[in-house]
PDB file of all heavy atoms in Angstrom:
ATOM      1  N   GLN A   1     -10.779   2.834  52.426  1.00  0.00           N
ATOM      2  CA  GLN A   1     -11.152   3.058  51.035  1.00  0.00           C
ATOM      3  C   GLN A   1     -12.388   2.263  50.650  1.00  0.00           C
ATOM      4  O   GLN A   1     -13.228   2.737  49.877  1.00  0.00           O
ATOM      5  CB  GLN A   1      -9.988   2.675  50.120  1.00  0.00           C
ATOM      6  CG  GLN A   1      -8.790   3.585  50.241  1.00  0.00           C
ATOM      7  CD  GLN A   1      -7.643   3.125  49.367  1.00  0.00           C
ATOM      8  OE1 GLN A   1      -7.561   3.489  48.196  1.00  0.00           O
ATOM      9  NE2 GLN A   1      -6.771   2.304  49.924  1.00  0.00           N
ATOM     10  N   ARG A   2     -12.514   1.077  51.211  1.00  0.00           N
ATOM     11  CA  ARG A   2     -13.659   0.220  50.917  1.00  0.00           C
ATOM     12  C   ARG A   2     -14.966   0.893  51.334  1.00  0.00           C
ATOM     13  O   ARG A   2     -15.998   0.740  50.693  1.00  0.00           O
ATOM     14  CB  ARG A   2     -13.494  -1.107  51.673  1.00  0.00           C
ATOM     15  CG  ARG A   2     -14.517  -2.169  51.338  1.00  0.00           C
ATOM     16  CD  ARG A   2     -14.215  -2.811  50.006  1.00  0.00           C
ATOM     17  NE  ARG A   2     -15.035  -3.983  49.792  1.00  0.00           N
ATOM     18  CZ  ARG A   2     -14.980  -4.754  48.715  1.00  0.00           C
ATOM     19  NH1 ARG A   2     -14.111  -4.476  47.777  1.00  0.00           N
ATOM     20  NH2 ARG A   2     -15.767  -5.798  48.578  1.00  0.00           N
ATOM     21  N   ASP A   3     -14.893   1.667  52.397  1.00  0.00           N
ATOM     22  CA  ASP A   3     -16.087   2.355  52.886  1.00  0.00           C
ATOM     23  C   ASP A   3     -16.169   3.786  52.387  1.00  0.00           C
ATOM     24  O   ASP A   3     -16.942   4.584  52.905  1.00  0.00           O
ATOM     25  CB  ASP A   3     -16.101   2.335  54.419  1.00  0.00           C
ATOM     26  CG  ASP A   3     -17.523   2.320  54.958  1.00  0.00           C
ATOM     27  OD1 ASP A   3     -18.419   1.848  54.245  1.00  0.00           O
ATOM     28  OD2 ASP A   3     -17.727   2.811  56.068  1.00  0.00           O
ATOM     29  N   LYS A   4     -15.317   4.120  51.373  1.00  0.00           N
ATOM     30  CA  LYS A   4     -15.352   5.429  50.707  1.00  0.00           C
ATOM     31  C   LYS A   4     -15.179   6.597  51.690  1.00  0.00           C
ATOM     32  O   LYS A   4     -15.842   7.632  51.581  1.00  0.00           O
ATOM     33  CB  LYS A   4     -16.645   5.583  49.903  1.00  0.00           C
ATOM     34  CG  LYS A   4     -16.767   4.583  48.757  1.00  0.00           C
ATOM     35  CD  LYS A   4     -18.049   4.793  47.969  1.00  0.00           C
ATOM     36  CE  LYS A   4     -18.073   3.916  46.725  1.00  0.00           C
ATOM     37  NZ  LYS A   4     -17.926   2.479  46.998  1.00  0.00           N
ATOM     38  N   LEU A   5     -14.286   6.418  52.653  1.00  0.00           N
ATOM     39  CA  LEU A   5     -13.990   7.474  53.613  1.00  0.00           C
ATOM     40  C   LEU A   5     -12.891   8.383  53.059  1.00  0.00           C
ATOM     41  O   LEU A   5     -12.079   7.948  52.237  1.00  0.00           O
ATOM     42  CB  LEU A   5     -13.548   6.859  54.943  1.00  0.00           C
ATOM     43  CG  LEU A   5     -14.591   5.971  55.629  1.00  0.00           C
ATOM     44  CD1 LEU A   5     -13.981   5.293  56.849  1.00  0.00           C
ATOM     45  CD2 LEU A   5     -15.820   6.777  56.028  1.00  0.00           C
ATOM     46  N   PRO A   6     -12.833   9.630  53.498  1.00  0.00           N
ATOM     47  CA  PRO A   6     -11.816  10.568  52.990  1.00  0.00           C
ATOM     48  C   PRO A   6     -10.403  10.145  53.407  1.00  0.00           C
ATOM     49  O   PRO A   6     -10.069  10.149  54.593  1.00  0.00           O
ATOM     50  CB  PRO A   6     -12.196  11.903  53.640  1.00  0.00           C
ATOM     51  CG  PRO A   6     -13.619  11.752  54.059  1.00  0.00           C
ATOM     52  CD  PRO A   6     -13.793  10.306  54.407  1.00  0.00           C
ATOM     53  N   VAL A   7      -9.595   9.770  52.439  1.00  0.00           N
ATOM     54  CA  VAL A   7      -8.202   9.370  52.672  1.00  0.00           C
ATOM     55  C   VAL A   7      -7.302  10.324  51.903  1.00  0.00           C
ATOM     56  O   VAL A   7      -7.460  10.500  50.696  1.00  0.00           O
ATOM     57  CB  VAL A   7      -7.947   7.924  52.207  1.00  0.00           C
ATOM     58  CG1 VAL A   7      -6.474   7.562  52.395  1.00  0.00           C
ATOM     59  CG2 VAL A   7      -8.840   6.943  52.973  1.00  0.00           C
ATOM     60  N   TYR A   8      -6.362  10.947  52.606  1.00  0.00           N
ATOM     61  CA  TYR A   8      -5.457  11.907  51.967  1.00  0.00           C
ATOM     62  C   TYR A   8      -4.040  11.367  51.985  1.00  0.00           C
ATOM     63  O   TYR A   8      -3.480  11.048  53.040  1.00  0.00           O
ATOM     64  CB  TYR A   8      -5.509  13.250  52.692  1.00  0.00           C
ATOM     65  CG  TYR A   8      -4.537  14.265  52.134  1.00  0.00           C
ATOM     66  CD1 TYR A   8      -4.662  14.738  50.829  1.00  0.00           C
ATOM     67  CD2 TYR A   8      -3.493  14.756  52.921  1.00  0.00           C
ATOM     68  CE1 TYR A   8      -3.777  15.671  50.319  1.00  0.00           C
ATOM     69  CE2 TYR A   8      -2.605  15.700  52.413  1.00  0.00           C
ATOM     70  CZ  TYR A   8      -2.754  16.146  51.108  1.00  0.00           C
ATOM     71  OH  TYR A   8      -1.869  17.058  50.596  1.00  0.00           O
ATOM     72  N   GLU A   9      -3.463  11.245  50.793  1.00  0.00           N
ATOM     73  CA  GLU A   9      -2.077  10.804  50.673  1.00  0.00           C
ATOM     74  C   GLU A   9      -1.201  12.050  50.575  1.00  0.00           C
ATOM     75  O   GLU A   9      -1.296  12.819  49.618  1.00  0.00           O
ATOM     76  CB  GLU A   9      -1.908   9.909  49.445  1.00  0.00           C
ATOM     77  CG  GLU A   9      -0.605   9.140  49.435  1.00  0.00           C
ATOM     78  CD  GLU A   9      -0.579   8.040  48.388  1.00  0.00           C
ATOM     79  OE1 GLU A   9      -1.490   7.970  47.542  1.00  0.00           O
ATOM     80  OE2 GLU A   9       0.370   7.233  48.421  1.00  0.00           O
ATOM     81  N   MET A  10      -0.344  12.227  51.569  1.00  0.00           N
ATOM     82  CA  MET A  10       0.411  13.470  51.729  1.00  0.00           C
ATOM     83  C   MET A  10       1.864  13.294  51.288  1.00  0.00           C
ATOM     84  O   MET A  10       2.555  12.384  51.741  1.00  0.00           O
ATOM     85  CB  MET A  10       0.365  13.873  53.208  1.00  0.00           C
ATOM     86  CG  MET A  10       0.971  15.209  53.519  1.00  0.00           C
ATOM     87  SD  MET A  10       0.755  15.623  55.277  1.00  0.00           S
ATOM     88  CE  MET A  10       2.324  15.087  55.926  1.00  0.00           C
ATOM     89  N   PRO A  11       2.355  14.133  50.412  1.00  0.00           N
ATOM     90  CA  PRO A  11       3.765  14.030  50.001  1.00  0.00           C
ATOM     91  C   PRO A  11       4.702  14.362  51.156  1.00  0.00           C
ATOM     92  O   PRO A  11       4.452  15.299  51.910  1.00  0.00           O
ATOM     93  CB  PRO A  11       3.885  15.059  48.877  1.00  0.00           C
ATOM     94  CG  PRO A  11       2.779  16.031  49.126  1.00  0.00           C
ATOM     95  CD  PRO A  11       1.661  15.254  49.733  1.00  0.00           C
ATOM     96  N   VAL A  12       5.756  13.560  51.298  1.00  0.00           N
ATOM     97  CA  VAL A  12       6.724  13.781  52.367  1.00  0.00           C
ATOM     98  C   VAL A  12       8.138  13.570  51.836  1.00  0.00           C
ATOM     99  O   VAL A  12       8.347  12.978  50.780  1.00  0.00           O
ATOM    100  CB  VAL A  12       6.498  12.814  53.562  1.00  0.00           C
ATOM    101  CG1 VAL A  12       5.152  13.078  54.224  1.00  0.00           C
ATOM    102  CG2 VAL A  12       6.634  11.358  53.121  1.00  0.00           C
ATOM    103  N   GLU A  13       9.087  14.039  52.601  1.00  0.00           N
ATOM    104  CA  GLU A  13      10.487  13.682  52.385  1.00  0.00           C
ATOM    105  C   GLU A  13      10.739  12.399  53.179  1.00  0.00           C
ATOM    106  O   GLU A  13      10.180  12.210  54.258  1.00  0.00           O
ATOM    107  CB  GLU A  13      11.407  14.782  52.904  1.00  0.00           C
ATOM    108  CG  GLU A  13      11.235  16.123  52.227  1.00  0.00           C
ATOM    109  CD  GLU A  13      11.982  17.220  52.964  1.00  0.00           C
ATOM    110  OE1 GLU A  13      13.003  16.916  53.619  1.00  0.00           O
ATOM    111  OE2 GLU A  13      11.528  18.372  52.907  1.00  0.00           O
ATOM    112  N   TRP A  14      11.555  11.519  52.654  1.00  0.00           N
ATOM    113  CA  TRP A  14      11.839  10.265  53.359  1.00  0.00           C
ATOM    114  C   TRP A  14      13.276   9.848  53.055  1.00  0.00           C
ATOM    115  O   TRP A  14      13.705   9.840  51.908  1.00  0.00           O
ATOM    116  CB  TRP A  14      10.878   9.171  52.908  1.00  0.00           C
ATOM    117  CG  TRP A  14      10.917   7.931  53.747  1.00  0.00           C
ATOM    118  CD1 TRP A  14      10.137   7.648  54.820  1.00  0.00           C
ATOM    119  CD2 TRP A  14      11.772   6.792  53.562  1.00  0.00           C
ATOM    120  NE1 TRP A  14      10.447   6.417  55.334  1.00  0.00           N
ATOM    121  CE2 TRP A  14      11.456   5.864  54.583  1.00  0.00           C
ATOM    122  CE3 TRP A  14      12.780   6.463  52.653  1.00  0.00           C
ATOM    123  CZ2 TRP A  14      12.099   4.635  54.705  1.00  0.00           C
ATOM    124  CZ3 TRP A  14      13.423   5.248  52.773  1.00  0.00           C
ATOM    125  CH2 TRP A  14      13.080   4.357  53.785  1.00  0.00           C
ATOM    126  N   LYS A  15      14.001   9.522  54.106  1.00  0.00           N
ATOM    127  CA  LYS A  15      15.391   9.108  53.944  1.00  0.00           C
ATOM    128  C   LYS A  15      15.666   7.860  54.771  1.00  0.00           C
ATOM    129  O   LYS A  15      15.407   7.836  55.971  1.00  0.00           O
ATOM    130  CB  LYS A  15      16.352  10.230  54.369  1.00  0.00           C
ATOM    131  CG  LYS A  15      17.815   9.919  54.114  1.00  0.00           C
ATOM    132  CD  LYS A  15      18.708  11.094  54.482  1.00  0.00           C
ATOM    133  CE  LYS A  15      20.171  10.775  54.201  1.00  0.00           C
ATOM    134  NZ  LYS A  15      21.060  11.907  54.553  1.00  0.00           N
ATOM    135  N   GLU A  16      16.175   6.832  54.122  1.00  0.00           N
ATOM    136  CA  GLU A  16      16.504   5.588  54.818  1.00  0.00           C
ATOM    137  C   GLU A  16      17.547   5.875  55.899  1.00  0.00           C
ATOM    138  O   GLU A  16      18.572   6.510  55.632  1.00  0.00           O
ATOM    139  CB  GLU A  16      17.049   4.572  53.807  1.00  0.00           C
ATOM    140  CG  GLU A  16      17.142   3.164  54.339  1.00  0.00           C
ATOM    141  CD  GLU A  16      17.372   2.162  53.211  1.00  0.00           C
ATOM    142  OE1 GLU A  16      16.451   1.952  52.402  1.00  0.00           O
ATOM    143  OE2 GLU A  16      18.488   1.624  53.111  1.00  0.00           O
ATOM    144  N   GLN A  17      17.272   5.394  57.120  1.00  0.00           N
ATOM    145  CA  GLN A  17      18.124   5.721  58.255  1.00  0.00           C
ATOM    146  C   GLN A  17      19.123   4.597  58.573  1.00  0.00           C
ATOM    147  O   GLN A  17      18.860   3.418  58.348  1.00  0.00           O
ATOM    148  CB  GLN A  17      17.267   6.004  59.485  1.00  0.00           C
ATOM    149  CG  GLN A  17      16.318   7.180  59.292  1.00  0.00           C
ATOM    150  CD  GLN A  17      17.057   8.479  59.030  1.00  0.00           C
ATOM    151  OE1 GLN A  17      17.910   8.884  59.804  1.00  0.00           O
ATOM    152  NE2 GLN A  17      16.717   9.138  57.919  1.00  0.00           N
ATOM    153  N   LYS A  18      20.237   4.983  59.146  1.00  0.00           N
ATOM    154  CA  LYS A  18      21.324   4.042  59.454  1.00  0.00           C
ATOM    155  C   LYS A  18      20.899   2.965  60.421  1.00  0.00           C
ATOM    156  O   LYS A  18      21.231   1.790  60.255  1.00  0.00           O
ATOM    157  CB  LYS A  18      22.511   4.823  60.031  1.00  0.00           C
ATOM    158  CG  LYS A  18      23.700   3.960  60.427  1.00  0.00           C
ATOM    159  CD  LYS A  18      24.820   4.822  60.982  1.00  0.00           C
ATOM    160  CE  LYS A  18      26.005   3.961  61.430  1.00  0.00           C
ATOM    161  NZ  LYS A  18      27.103   4.794  61.999  1.00  0.00           N
ATOM    162  N   TYR A  19      20.147   3.340  61.463  1.00  0.00           N
ATOM    163  CA  TYR A  19      19.814   2.383  62.512  1.00  0.00           C
ATOM    164  C   TYR A  19      18.406   1.820  62.387  1.00  0.00           C
ATOM    165  O   TYR A  19      17.867   1.293  63.341  1.00  0.00           O
ATOM    166  CB  TYR A  19      19.948   3.051  63.893  1.00  0.00           C
ATOM    167  CG  TYR A  19      21.361   3.468  64.210  1.00  0.00           C
ATOM    168  CD1 TYR A  19      21.712   4.821  64.238  1.00  0.00           C
ATOM    169  CD2 TYR A  19      22.347   2.519  64.486  1.00  0.00           C
ATOM    170  CE1 TYR A  19      23.010   5.208  64.532  1.00  0.00           C
ATOM    171  CE2 TYR A  19      23.648   2.912  64.774  1.00  0.00           C
ATOM    172  CZ  TYR A  19      23.965   4.258  64.802  1.00  0.00           C
ATOM    173  OH  TYR A  19      25.244   4.649  65.084  1.00  0.00           O
ATOM    174  N   THR A  20      17.799   1.932  61.217  1.00  0.00           N
ATOM    175  CA  THR A  20      16.426   1.479  61.089  1.00  0.00           C
ATOM    176  C   THR A  20      16.288  -0.016  61.380  1.00  0.00           C
ATOM    177  O   THR A  20      17.143  -0.821  61.020  1.00  0.00           O
ATOM    178  CB  THR A  20      15.863   1.781  59.691  1.00  0.00           C
ATOM    179  OG1 THR A  20      14.490   1.413  59.664  1.00  0.00           O
ATOM    180  CG2 THR A  20      16.596   1.015  58.603  1.00  0.00           C
ATOM    181  N   LYS A  21      15.188  -0.373  62.054  1.00  0.00           N
ATOM    182  CA  LYS A  21      14.871  -1.779  62.316  1.00  0.00           C
ATOM    183  C   LYS A  21      13.669  -2.222  61.503  1.00  0.00           C
ATOM    184  O   LYS A  21      13.161  -3.316  61.667  1.00  0.00           O
ATOM    185  CB  LYS A  21      14.567  -1.983  63.810  1.00  0.00           C
ATOM    186  CG  LYS A  21      15.769  -1.755  64.716  1.00  0.00           C
ATOM    187  CD  LYS A  21      16.840  -2.801  64.483  1.00  0.00           C
ATOM    188  CE  LYS A  21      17.959  -2.716  65.520  1.00  0.00           C
ATOM    189  NZ  LYS A  21      18.634  -1.439  65.557  1.00  0.00           N
ATOM    190  N   VAL A  22      13.161  -1.332  60.635  1.00  0.00           N
ATOM    191  CA  VAL A  22      12.008  -1.663  59.815  1.00  0.00           C
ATOM    192  C   VAL A  22      12.403  -2.756  58.831  1.00  0.00           C
ATOM    193  O   VAL A  22      13.347  -2.613  58.066  1.00  0.00           O
ATOM    194  CB  VAL A  22      11.500  -0.425  59.050  1.00  0.00           C
ATOM    195  CG1 VAL A  22      10.342  -0.801  58.148  1.00  0.00           C
ATOM    196  CG2 VAL A  22      11.081   0.648  60.043  1.00  0.00           C
ATOM    197  N   SER A  23      11.662  -3.841  58.866  1.00  0.00           N
ATOM    198  CA  SER A  23      12.005  -5.001  58.049  1.00  0.00           C
ATOM    199  C   SER A  23      11.709  -4.762  56.580  1.00  0.00           C
ATOM    200  O   SER A  23      10.702  -4.169  56.220  1.00  0.00           O
ATOM    201  CB  SER A  23      11.195  -6.217  58.530  1.00  0.00           C
ATOM    202  OG  SER A  23      11.329  -7.293  57.653  1.00  0.00           O
ATOM    203  N   SER A  24      12.613  -5.252  55.719  1.00  0.00           N
ATOM    204  CA  SER A  24      12.325  -5.211  54.290  1.00  0.00           C
ATOM    205  C   SER A  24      11.328  -6.290  53.926  1.00  0.00           C
ATOM    206  O   SER A  24      10.874  -6.366  52.784  1.00  0.00           O
ATOM    207  CB  SER A  24      13.607  -5.398  53.475  1.00  0.00           C
ATOM    208  OG  SER A  24      14.200  -6.641  53.776  1.00  0.00           O
ATOM    209  N   SER A  25      11.015  -7.127  54.917  1.00  0.00           N
ATOM    210  CA  SER A  25       9.861  -8.025  54.858  1.00  0.00           C
ATOM    211  C   SER A  25      10.083  -9.344  54.147  1.00  0.00           C
ATOM    212  O   SER A  25      11.059  -9.566  53.463  1.00  0.00           O
ATOM    213  CB  SER A  25       8.670  -7.316  54.233  1.00  0.00           C
ATOM    214  OG  SER A  25       8.847  -7.205  52.840  1.00  0.00           O
ATOM    215  N   ASP A  26       9.093 -10.202  54.356  1.00  0.00           N
ATOM    216  CA  ASP A  26       9.031 -11.519  53.748  1.00  0.00           C
ATOM    217  C   ASP A  26       8.000 -11.445  52.632  1.00  0.00           C
ATOM    218  O   ASP A  26       6.796 -11.325  52.902  1.00  0.00           O
ATOM    219  CB  ASP A  26       8.625 -12.536  54.819  1.00  0.00           C
ATOM    220  CG  ASP A  26       8.406 -13.925  54.248  1.00  0.00           C
ATOM    221  OD1 ASP A  26       8.590 -14.098  53.031  1.00  0.00           O
ATOM    222  OD2 ASP A  26       8.038 -14.821  55.021  1.00  0.00           O
ATOM    223  N   PRO A  27       8.413 -11.510  51.367  1.00  0.00           N
ATOM    224  CA  PRO A  27       7.465 -11.369  50.255  1.00  0.00           C
ATOM    225  C   PRO A  27       6.301 -12.359  50.324  1.00  0.00           C
ATOM    226  O   PRO A  27       5.162 -12.001  50.023  1.00  0.00           O
ATOM    227  CB  PRO A  27       8.336 -11.635  49.019  1.00  0.00           C
ATOM    228  CG  PRO A  27       9.712 -11.266  49.453  1.00  0.00           C
ATOM    229  CD  PRO A  27       9.794 -11.657  50.900  1.00  0.00           C
ATOM    230  N   LEU A  28       6.574 -13.590  50.741  1.00  0.00           N
ATOM    231  CA  LEU A  28       5.522 -14.593  50.813  1.00  0.00           C
ATOM    232  C   LEU A  28       4.460 -14.210  51.839  1.00  0.00           C
ATOM    233  O   LEU A  28       3.257 -14.377  51.614  1.00  0.00           O
ATOM    234  CB  LEU A  28       6.117 -15.962  51.171  1.00  0.00           C
ATOM    235  CG  LEU A  28       5.127 -17.139  51.192  1.00  0.00           C
ATOM    236  CD1 LEU A  28       4.457 -17.292  49.832  1.00  0.00           C
ATOM    237  CD2 LEU A  28       5.857 -18.424  51.583  1.00  0.00           C
ATOM    238  N   TYR A  29       4.896 -13.652  52.978  1.00  0.00           N
ATOM    239  CA  TYR A  29       3.957 -13.207  54.013  1.00  0.00           C
ATOM    240  C   TYR A  29       3.028 -12.130  53.467  1.00  0.00           C
ATOM    241  O   TYR A  29       1.809 -12.153  53.690  1.00  0.00           O
ATOM    242  CB  TYR A  29       4.735 -12.679  55.225  1.00  0.00           C
ATOM    243  CG  TYR A  29       4.009 -11.640  56.051  1.00  0.00           C
ATOM    244  CD1 TYR A  29       2.933 -11.997  56.864  1.00  0.00           C
ATOM    245  CD2 TYR A  29       4.403 -10.306  56.008  1.00  0.00           C
ATOM    246  CE1 TYR A  29       2.269 -11.035  57.612  1.00  0.00           C
ATOM    247  CE2 TYR A  29       3.748  -9.354  56.754  1.00  0.00           C
ATOM    248  CZ  TYR A  29       2.683  -9.713  57.558  1.00  0.00           C
ATOM    249  OH  TYR A  29       2.023  -8.761  58.283  1.00  0.00           O
ATOM    250  N   PHE A  30       3.587 -11.167  52.736  1.00  0.00           N
ATOM    251  CA  PHE A  30       2.757 -10.090  52.203  1.00  0.00           C
ATOM    252  C   PHE A  30       1.800 -10.592  51.127  1.00  0.00           C
ATOM    253  O   PHE A  30       0.641 -10.163  51.062  1.00  0.00           O
ATOM    254  CB  PHE A  30       3.631  -8.962  51.662  1.00  0.00           C
ATOM    255  CG  PHE A  30       4.146  -8.047  52.729  1.00  0.00           C
ATOM    256  CD1 PHE A  30       5.492  -7.984  53.028  1.00  0.00           C
ATOM    257  CD2 PHE A  30       3.269  -7.248  53.452  1.00  0.00           C
ATOM    258  CE1 PHE A  30       5.961  -7.137  54.018  1.00  0.00           C
ATOM    259  CE2 PHE A  30       3.735  -6.392  54.445  1.00  0.00           C
ATOM    260  CZ  PHE A  30       5.084  -6.340  54.731  1.00  0.00           C
ATOM    261  N   ILE A  31       2.262 -11.497  50.281  1.00  0.00           N
ATOM    262  CA  ILE A  31       1.387 -12.050  49.240  1.00  0.00           C
ATOM    263  C   ILE A  31       0.223 -12.812  49.882  1.00  0.00           C
ATOM    264  O   ILE A  31      -0.943 -12.658  49.489  1.00  0.00           O
ATOM    265  CB  ILE A  31       2.186 -12.974  48.298  1.00  0.00           C
ATOM    266  CG1 ILE A  31       3.158 -12.135  47.459  1.00  0.00           C
ATOM    267  CG2 ILE A  31       1.239 -13.742  47.376  1.00  0.00           C
ATOM    268  CD1 ILE A  31       4.145 -12.951  46.651  1.00  0.00           C
ATOM    269  N   LYS A  32       0.524 -13.619  50.900  1.00  0.00           N
ATOM    270  CA  LYS A  32      -0.534 -14.354  51.602  1.00  0.00           C
ATOM    271  C   LYS A  32      -1.513 -13.395  52.267  1.00  0.00           C
ATOM    272  O   LYS A  32      -2.728 -13.622  52.268  1.00  0.00           O
ATOM    273  CB  LYS A  32       0.093 -15.271  52.657  1.00  0.00           C
ATOM    274  CG  LYS A  32       0.770 -16.510  52.092  1.00  0.00           C
ATOM    275  CD  LYS A  32       1.318 -17.367  53.223  1.00  0.00           C
ATOM    276  CE  LYS A  32       1.935 -18.653  52.686  1.00  0.00           C
ATOM    277  NZ  LYS A  32       2.500 -19.492  53.784  1.00  0.00           N
ATOM    278  N   SER A  33      -0.989 -12.317  52.846  1.00  0.00           N
ATOM    279  CA  SER A  33      -1.842 -11.338  53.523  1.00  0.00           C
ATOM    280  C   SER A  33      -2.774 -10.643  52.536  1.00  0.00           C
ATOM    281  O   SER A  33      -3.960 -10.429  52.817  1.00  0.00           O
ATOM    282  CB  SER A  33      -0.979 -10.293  54.244  1.00  0.00           C
ATOM    283  OG  SER A  33      -0.187 -10.893  55.250  1.00  0.00           O
ATOM    284  N   ILE A  34      -2.248 -10.279  51.371  1.00  0.00           N
ATOM    285  CA  ILE A  34      -3.054  -9.628  50.344  1.00  0.00           C
ATOM    286  C   ILE A  34      -4.168 -10.552  49.862  1.00  0.00           C
ATOM    287  O   ILE A  34      -5.340 -10.154  49.765  1.00  0.00           O
ATOM    288  CB  ILE A  34      -2.167  -9.192  49.164  1.00  0.00           C
ATOM    289  CG1 ILE A  34      -1.276  -8.015  49.579  1.00  0.00           C
ATOM    290  CG2 ILE A  34      -3.017  -8.795  47.951  1.00  0.00           C
ATOM    291  CD1 ILE A  34      -0.203  -7.652  48.564  1.00  0.00           C
ATOM    292  N   LEU A  35      -3.821 -11.807  49.601  1.00  0.00           N
ATOM    293  CA  LEU A  35      -4.823 -12.764  49.127  1.00  0.00           C
ATOM    294  C   LEU A  35      -5.845 -13.083  50.214  1.00  0.00           C
ATOM    295  O   LEU A  35      -7.037 -13.246  49.930  1.00  0.00           O
ATOM    296  CB  LEU A  35      -4.135 -14.045  48.648  1.00  0.00           C
ATOM    297  CG  LEU A  35      -3.228 -13.888  47.418  1.00  0.00           C
ATOM    298  CD1 LEU A  35      -2.553 -15.212  47.082  1.00  0.00           C
ATOM    299  CD2 LEU A  35      -4.038 -13.380  46.220  1.00  0.00           C
ATOM    300  N   ARG A  36      -5.397 -13.156  51.455  1.00  0.00           N
ATOM    301  CA  ARG A  36      -6.324 -13.404  52.568  1.00  0.00           C
ATOM    302  C   ARG A  36      -7.333 -12.285  52.686  1.00  0.00           C
ATOM    303  O   ARG A  36      -8.543 -12.510  52.810  1.00  0.00           O
ATOM    304  CB  ARG A  36      -5.514 -13.540  53.867  1.00  0.00           C
ATOM    305  CG  ARG A  36      -6.337 -13.927  55.115  1.00  0.00           C
ATOM    306  CD  ARG A  36      -6.738 -12.719  55.932  1.00  0.00           C
ATOM    307  NE  ARG A  36      -5.579 -11.948  56.380  1.00  0.00           N
ATOM    308  CZ  ARG A  36      -5.690 -10.719  56.866  1.00  0.00           C
ATOM    309  NH1 ARG A  36      -6.879 -10.118  56.944  1.00  0.00           N
ATOM    310  NH2 ARG A  36      -4.610 -10.047  57.244  1.00  0.00           N
TER     311      ARG A  36
END
């Protein structure tokens, strides 16, 4: 986005899965990453 390139956000169906390993994350890590 910073370089004004074509980015398309596509609508999808999404359902939380039983065996997902995707982390709900560490809020502090994300805040530090955004500020960095």
